[in-house]
Amino acid sequence: MPEIKIVTEVAGRVCALPVEVGGNVGDGDDIAFVEAMKMEIPVASPAAGKLKSILVSIDDVVAEGQVLAILET
């Protein structure tokens, strides 16, 4: 199965991870939320599939372009 890396477009702190590993997601579903500039920025899935792994935890500080999760399509 092809894998897609899900990356954040903003630097900040991971404040929510609404989907668990093994969960099915649709195209555009929110995978994570990153708090930046006092706003919660959603990180959406670029495709439908199954969440293979989450590479961050809540309260982790992430950089712009960092991979947050791996999706199997």
Side-chain angles (χ1 to χ4, degrees):
M1 293 184 144
E3 294 181 349
I4 296 174
K5 294 177 181 177
I6 301 173
V7 300
T8 178
E9 295 180 5
V10 297
R13 180 186 66 86
V14 177
C15 59
L17 296 166
V19 182
E20 295 183 13
V21 171
N24 292 316
V25 296
D27 186 6
D29 285 358
D30 294 331
I31 299 298
F33 288 87
V34 176
E35 184 179 296
M37 299 174 286
K38 298 183 181 179
M39 298 185 337
E40 292 184 1
I41 313 296
V43 179
S45 175
K50 186 175 191 177
L51 198 59
K52 180 178 179 181
S53 62
I54 298 174
L55 307 176
V56 295
S57 299
I58 291 178
D59 288 330
D60 283 359
V61 176
V62 294
E64 181 179 342
Q66 183 171 337
V67 178
L68 302 183
I70 306 292
L71 182 72
E72 284 184 336
T73 58

